[in-house]
Amino acid sequence: MREIDTDYLVVGAGASAMAFVDVLLAQTDARVVMVDRRHRPGGHWLDAYPFVRLHQPSAYYGVPSRRLGHDRIDEAGGNRGWYERAASDEICDYYAQVLEQDFLASGRVRFLPMSEYRGADSEGHHAASLLTGAETTIRARRLVDATYVQSEIPSQRRPAYAVDPGVQVIPPNHLVHLGGAPDGFTVIGAGKTAMDTCCWLLEAGVDPERIRWIRARDPWLFDRAFMQPLELVGSFMQLQARWLEAAADAVDGDDFAERLEASGVFVRIDPAVEPRSWRGATISVGEIDALRSISRVERGGYVRRIGRHSLVLSRDDVVTELPTTPGEVYVDCTAPGVRATAAHPVFSGDRILLQYVTVGLVPWSAATIGYVEATRDDDQEKNRLCPVLTFEDDVAGALRTAYAGMSGLAARGTQRDIGAWTEACRLNPAAGASSHVDDLDVAGALTSMATSFGPAMANLARRGADRTSPT
Ligand SMILES: Cc1cc2nc3c(=O)[nH]c(=O)nc-3n(C[C@H](O)[C@H](O)[C@H](O)COP(=O)(O)OP(=O)(O)OC[C@H]3O[C@@H](n4cnc5c(N)ncnc54)[C@H](O)[C@@H]3O)c2cc1C
């Protein structure tokens, strides 16, 4: 049995782990062991559907020390005028380079791929090779769990509904291998994966009439126009200003979302349907227009069974049966992607649990936690600087999410070193805003934010958003 002594044992080698370790290497002289059951770093991106792209610009995804992509603004296609967004191949290659050229080359990181973390006992932590069964015991000063906010994706799980023999249910990954035109496509799910799938089918020339979309709950989405960094950072600053303005007056999560819609930050797919969920996904107005061309939207509930001639949905004991044909292809997009989590302290003794400490941005959250870990000693202080945000999948929880995000910004904002690090960190979408104050959007946003921040915090606390989620 192999034995390793190290400072940090990091379980997982997805986006969370990679950003955390990158900051640790830059800010400390710690040694790190990373364990992942997958064969390479990159986490869920290694198994993503081939037409997936980041929902946000590459400019603020990845790790702080290495640029992802070229910070270029696209000149053609649906993303024209906005910063480039990496596809999954590029993301996976990027993480491989970070691991090999930066982490391993530093001589301070060891990576155990294809290894399952099995827990700890008095001897240390245990990881077992999924190829040989050989066990490694790792004695570490701290355990970093980088698996808690991990993504659940369709290609890695079975659908929760019954499927009769002979019915073709596939994850979106398999669409590129169909090899023949089916009777039609039924896309199941209401999240970003389903939207990506519908957009891809439409772009590939599938007639909207041949797409049926089972969408039990509509989501609120960020308009990508507001997610632009660098030379277009005024857009992101405007997002923050409008967010605080909405938070200063909102009476509940629905009202908050509607205020954000009125100011252009949030969008919905169907103007006639009130969205019920919010998980922080981003979309462009062009994609929304394309999705609106699909008229066969079924809202009768969640899929329970797919047969060769009928499809059964139900909600609140109301069952709906839809006719179908044996030649239909069902694209399962029901995995949650970003799964709902409960908030736990990030720092507790010798354990660090990586979670969201910024709204919806996994790498920036993990990097922020890494910086706080590297520069502070006391767990209580570290947790004060890193209040946890949760995405509960229900817009009702949006005020809590907003409150936690703003509390973190306020707590970290009082710390000069963290402020300087944040301003310079490429994972921060607002990085460099202070050098764009001649941009009217930036200047206007800064003035508005200074006015709205206090009233927003007070209003959210009055509405109970300072209380922990009931999950
Ligand atoms: C389609 C899609 C698009 C997205 N786009 C964006 C975006 O644009 N911007 C954004 O910020 N977020 C986006 N997200 C959210 C996404 O979840 C994060 O960006 C990020 O990739 C999640 O990284 P992670 O490391 O937390 O989880 P994962 O990528 O799931 O990695 C967790 C790792 O832990 C390993 N692991 C788990 N348990 C064990 C164990 N017991 N032993 C060993 N290894 C273990 C897994 O093998 C995995 O590699 C997107 C998500 C999806 C699904």
Side-chain angles (χ1 to χ4, degrees):
M1 187 181 59
R2 181 166 54 161
E3 296 188 2
I4 306 177
D5 286 296
T6 190
D7 296 310
Y8 290 85
L9 167 60
V10 180
V11 182
S16 298
M18 297 299 279
F20 176 89
V21 171
D22 189 74
V23 177
L24 212 56
L25 294 179
Q27 301 290 334
T28 71
D29 55 7
R31 294 161 307 149
V32 180
V33 172
M34 301 179 77
V35 173
D36 200 301
R37 57 165 79 114
R38 285 184 162 100
H39 67 292
R40 289 170 74 185
H44 76 89
W45 293 109
L46 294 163
D47 298 302
Y49 40 99
F51 46 87
V52 72
R53 282 188 181 273
L54 281 174
H55 299 168
Q56 59 163 87
S58 305
Y60 55 96
Y61 199 85
V63 302
S65 70
R66 183 183 277 256
R67 196 164 68 170
L68 169 59
H70 305 279
D71 292 348
R72 269 199 296 254
I73 293 181
D74 283 345
E75 289 176 2
N79 200 51
R80 189 160 60 90
W82 293 336
Y83 280 96
E84 64 184 279
R85 297 184 291 129
S88 53
D89 288 352
E90 189 183 349
I91 300 170
C92 295
D93 284 351
Y94 168 86
Y95 281 125
Q97 286 168 19
V98 172
L99 178 73
E100 281 156 30
Q101 298 171 14
D102 304 334
F103 289 9
L104 300 182
S106 75
R108 291 159 54 199
V109 178
R110 287 179 77 162
F111 179 48
L112 310 186
M114 301 293 298
S115 298
E116 179 79 20
Y117 176 70
R118 292 267 161 86
D121 59 20
S122 57
E123 315 236 301
H125 298 276
H126 301 283
S129 164
L130 295 173
L131 296 176
T132 66
E135 201 166 281
T136 303
T137 298
I138 304 145
R139 283 181 291 273
R141 210 157 48 78
R142 277 181 197 259
L143 174 75
V144 182
D145 183 348
T147 68
Y148 185 56
V149 295
Q150 69 181 303
S151 298
E152 287 181 20
I153 57 172
S155 65
Q156 296 297 295
R157 65 167 225 176
R158 295 167 74 89
Y161 43 83
V163 179
D164 285 0
V167 173
Q168 199 178 1
V169 178
I170 58 170
N173 306 50
H174 293 182
L175 275 173
V176 296
H177 303 300
L178 275 186
D183 288 355
F185 298 89
T186 298
V187 177
I188 307 170
K192 194 61 179 44
T193 300
M195 291 175 228
D196 283 354
T197 299
C198 290
C199 285
W200 183 79
L201 288 170
L202 292 166
E203 260 173 47
V206 175
D207 188 323
E209 280 307 305
R210 293 188 57 235
I211 303 174
R212 172 169 57 178
W213 190 356
I214 315 285
R215 202 164 82 217
R217 297 208 307 167
D218 277 30
W220 284 112
L221 302 155
F222 281 109
D223 182 342
R224 188 169 296 124
F226 284 92
M227 306 296 282
Q228 302 303 309
L230 303 174
E231 292 308 310
L232 304 178
V233 71
S235 72
F236 188 76
M237 297 304 289
Q238 281 293 321
L239 180 151
Q240 295 194 87
R242 294 173 198 198
W243 183 268
L244 292 183
E245 286 159 16
D249 294 318
V251 298
D252 57 25
D254 288 318
D255 185 38
F256 183 50
E258 279 161 22
R259 286 171 186 275
L260 287 169
E261 182 186 38
S263 68
V265 170
F266 271 15
V267 287
R268 61 172 104 187
I269 304 169
D270 187 335
V273 175
E274 185 71 15
R276 300 298 333 147
S277 68
W278 174 59
R279 273 192 258 145
T282 299
I283 200 161
S284 70
V285 170
E287 287 168 309
I288 290 274
D289 284 345
L291 294 176
R292 285 179 181 163
S293 72
I294 299 174
S295 59
R296 295 171 64 212
V297 177
E298 301 291 348
R299 293 199 165 80
Y302 299 92
V303 174
R304 304 299 176 199
R305 168 171 223 102
I306 307 180
R308 283 166 60 78
H309 299 285
S310 74
L311 173 64
V312 180
L313 317 179
S314 78
R315 186 194 331 249
D316 300 333
D317 296 334
V318 178
V319 176
T320 308
E321 199 161 336
L322 305 171
T324 194
T325 66
E328 184 86 359
V329 160
Y330 300 86
V331 191
D332 177 63
C333 305
T334 57
V338 175
R339 63 196 185 121
T341 49
H344 297 284
V346 173
F347 302 95
S348 47
D350 58 3
R351 287 179 182 249
I352 299 173
L353 186 61
L354 298 188
Q355 293 161 86
Y356 291 98
V357 297
T358 61
V359 176
L361 301 167
V362 161
W364 189 27
S365 289
T368 301
I369 294 170
Y371 184 84
V372 169
E373 164 65 10
T375 56
R376 304 292 189 275
D377 291 323
D378 176 54
D379 274 2
Q380 204 178 341
E381 171 64 357
K382 289 193 240 179
N383 284 321
R384 188 186 72 79
L385 294 169
C386 295
V388 170
L389 283 70
T390 54
F391 287 90
E392 297 163 23
D393 191 26
D394 193 323
V395 72
L399 294 192
R400 267 192 298 274
T401 309
Y403 184 84
M406 287 158 53
S407 306
L409 286 178
R412 294 190 293 274
T414 61
Q415 315 282 307
R416 187 176 295 209
D417 66 315
I418 300 184
W421 176 82
T422 302
E423 172 65 9
C425 181
R426 64 167 286 275
L427 302 182
N428 168 14
S434 60
S435 52
H436 285 79
V437 283
D438 51 341
D439 175 335
L440 289 182
D441 279 341
V442 174
L446 288 171
T447 307
S448 164
M449 287 160 73
T451 312
S452 308
F453 195 88
M457 289 298 279
N459 180 50
L460 295 183
R462 196 163 51 242
R463 308 283 171 201
D466 52 345
R467 279 176 237 132
T468 330
S469 133
T471 47

